[in-house]
Amino acid sequence: MASTKCGTPAYMAPETLEDVPVYNHTADLWSLGCVLFEICTLKQAFSGKSLRTILDKISRGEYGPAPAAAKIAHLFLLKETIPRLLKIDHKSRIGADTILSR
């Protein structure tokens, strides 16, 4: 039912930026991936000097690498869960049920 775009651009899913008529839980899972990345690395997954740069990175799914000093507890999230949440194709994203079962 949502038809508007609001929120912080760095957490918006690619399909919302591309005007794909899909706004469901998969867009929220993308945002969860962005938040988890930031919690683990203390950096935003998608950042840049301009809004256009940020939006371009989101559209390409180009986010920063995990720092070498990432804590062991964060490695599972950084290597297994976050990449599966930050899939460009919203149909390919991992589901909440799978995340919770892990």
Side-chain angles (χ1 to χ4, degrees), residues 40-61:
C40 292
T41 65
L42 302 178
K43 295 180 181 180
Q44 284 187 324
F46 302 96
S47 60
K49 293 185 179 189
S50 71
L51 179 59
R52 178 80 268 165
T53 302
I54 294 169
L55 299 181
D56 287 344
K57 286 181 179 181
I58 291 170
S59 294
R60 292 190 310 269

Side-chain angles (χ1 to χ4, degrees), residues 33-43 45 63-86:
C34 293
V35 170
L36 290 175
F37 184 92
E38 190 167 346
I39 288 170
C40 292
T41 65
L42 302 178
K43 295 180 181 180
Y63 57 94
K71 301 271 188 237
I72 297 298
H74 297 158
L75 286 179
F76 177 75
L77 283 173
L78 289 166
K79 292 188 179 207
E80 297 292 327
T81 305
I82 293 171
R84 294 178 71 191
L85 288 167
L86 297 180

Side-chain angles (χ1 to χ4, degrees), residues 19-35:
D19 285 331
V20 174
V22 174
Y23 181 82
N24 57 26
H25 66 284
T26 59
D28 295 330
L29 290 167
W30 172 278
S31 298
L32 174 62
C34 293
V35 170

